[in-house]
Amino acid sequence: MKKILVTGGAGYIGSHCVVELVKSGFQPIIIDDFSNASPATLQNVFDLCGREIPVITGDCSDEVLLRTVFKAHEFEGVIHFAAFKAVGESVEHPIKYYQNNLNGVLSVVKMMEEFGVQKLVFSSSCTVYGTPTGSVKVTEETPLGVPNSPYGWTKLMAEQIIKDVAKNGKIKAVLLRYFNPIGAHESGKIGELPVGVPNNIVPYMTQTAAGIREQLTVFGSDYQTTDGTCLRDFIHVTDLAIAHIAAINLELDKEIEIINIGTGKGTSVLELISAFEEVTGKSLNWKFGPRRAGDVEAIFAEVEKAHKILNWSAKRGVKKAIEDSWRWEQYRLKHEVV
Ligand code: WQD
């Protein structure tokens, strides 16, 4: 079986990707420092894979460690997820974000060059577009914006590092620009596991509905959108994971391929709340609050290129994602997964 190194493979998106890699006949090898993932969910990942997956506990910024991993395995490719990703936290702790996220990608591409591993799939983000100046439906050619946070800057800088390294001809990379990953595996056995108070809206909603949080605050009601709340492209994490399988299988005829991964549809915060209440049958306790610094008013993806290049499109909608997130939240509480 073809081996794929999955950095951050115990995390939210990484773990869903590991499950899909196994389903597609690959042998994932996980490296994760568990700074934003819980070993408690690994057994569930193995259950869903039907077998144990090799896991190296450690930081992919550690070149000595990473070199031993590359020596031990002949990789077909690398999927690089490992990075800190909380927008708000990155504003408070920029050094931590630049150090971790940039040293991680530098170490990965250095080892790939050293060991002749050519294929890289990189977890990038729509945050590199900043606040869209033209259409809020962004294509891969939309000019890169000014990211609204150090987190966003690390994604933009990492893309540039990969582009520059790829010019040496030893690495070919697919940069996947995610929009808003939400949802959980339909089994309800793995999902998003925020550390502390959730930054992202869906885990905050499910924790509010579960009584863990008192009330959801909707950040801003005076945006220039149909209902005054922000617009996002919420994509089911399983659809997102499947896009990575298409990307790792892509025969690249050029150094870099940049692809938006979203549904191509915009959903407002209020529409998301309505969908949540419809799907779960629960009335969500929420209120309007002030805008959150750094929030983009509206952004969603033009996904034509993903369909054309990867033969991929999102199959699951927002309601399915909410249904799966709610199932995971109830599983998590019942089995005290923290
Ligand atoms: C979505 C909308 C909030 C919480 C970030 C990163 C992105 C990706 C996903 C990694 C916004 C509103 C939120 C709450 C709210 N990260 N909201 N109350 O900021 O769009 O994207 O996370 O892959 O790269 O930038 O996601 O879920 O935090 O916010 O009203 O308690 O929900 O204002 O409009 P965001 P989010």
Side-chain angles (χ1 to χ4, degrees), residues 13 85-87 123-128 149 151-152 155 178-182 192 198-205 215-220 223 229-232 234 240 269 272-273 287 290-292 294-297 299:
I13 301 166
K85 64 147 197 163
V87 171
S123 163
S124 191
S125 166
C126 62
T127 197
V128 301
S149 66
Y151 159 77
K155 288 300 181 183
Y178 309 164
F179 282 70
N180 284 59
I182 63 169
E192 194 167 3
N199 288 294
N200 295 136
I201 187 159
V202 170
Y204 207 106
M205 289 166 87
Q215 184 178 49
L216 169 74
T217 301
V218 172
F219 298 138
Y223 287 100
T229 63
C230 291
L231 207 70
R232 292 289 183 276
F234 295 105
L240 177 59
V269 173
L272 194 70
I273 291 173
K287 66 174 180 180
R291 291 184 175 194
R292 179 174 68 175
D295 271 339
V296 168
E297 176 171 86
I299 187 168

Side-chain angles (χ1 to χ4, degrees), residues 6-180:
V6 186
T7 73
Y12 172 39
I13 301 166
S15 56
H16 287 79
C17 190
V18 163
V19 169
E20 295 304 326
L21 280 167
V22 168
K23 272 172 72 175
S24 300
F26 288 97
Q27 172 58 55
I29 310 286
I30 294 171
I31 180 168
D32 203 305
D33 63 5
F34 292 95
S35 58
N36 197 20
S38 164
T41 56
L42 271 180
Q43 189 50 54
N44 286 359
V45 175
F46 299 163
D47 293 347
L48 292 169
C49 289
R51 68 174 191 269
E52 291 232 343
I53 302 299
V55 178
I56 299 114
T57 300
D59 181 347
C60 61
S61 306
D62 176 347
E63 288 187 18
V64 174
L65 172 66
L66 205 57
R67 186 169 281 109
T68 61
V69 175
F70 273 77
K71 274 181 183 163
H73 301 280
E74 195 172 325
F75 292 119
E76 175 72 15
V78 178
I79 302 179
H80 182 48
F81 290 107
F84 296 146
K85 64 147 197 163
V87 171
E89 184 191 43
S90 76
V91 175
E92 290 164 37
H93 304 287
I95 295 171
K96 172 184 169 183
Y97 269 68
Y98 285 113
Q99 198 155 27
N100 181 67
N101 293 6
L102 298 185
N103 286 342
V105 68
L106 283 166
S107 173
V108 163
V109 293
K110 184 175 180 178
M111 289 308 131
M112 288 182 71
E113 277 205 336
E114 192 173 311
F115 287 85
V117 179
Q118 189 180 61
K119 176 54 96 45
L120 172 64
V121 176
F122 174 65
S123 163
S124 191
S125 166
C126 62
T127 197
V128 301
Y129 295 111
T131 301
T133 45
S135 165
V136 293
K137 183 170 190 174
V138 294
T139 76
E140 291 81 357
E141 284 67 48
T142 296
L144 297 183
V146 178
N148 295 304
S149 66
Y151 159 77
W153 275 111
T154 67
K155 288 300 181 183
L156 193 58
M157 290 173 178
E159 284 197 1
Q160 192 55 50
I161 288 167
I162 295 166
K163 286 172 186 172
D164 289 341
V165 170
K167 284 175 186 150
N168 296 339
K170 293 180 182 174
I171 288 177
K172 291 186 175 182
V174 182
L175 311 182
L176 297 181
R177 289 177 178 163
Y178 309 164
F179 282 70
N180 284 59

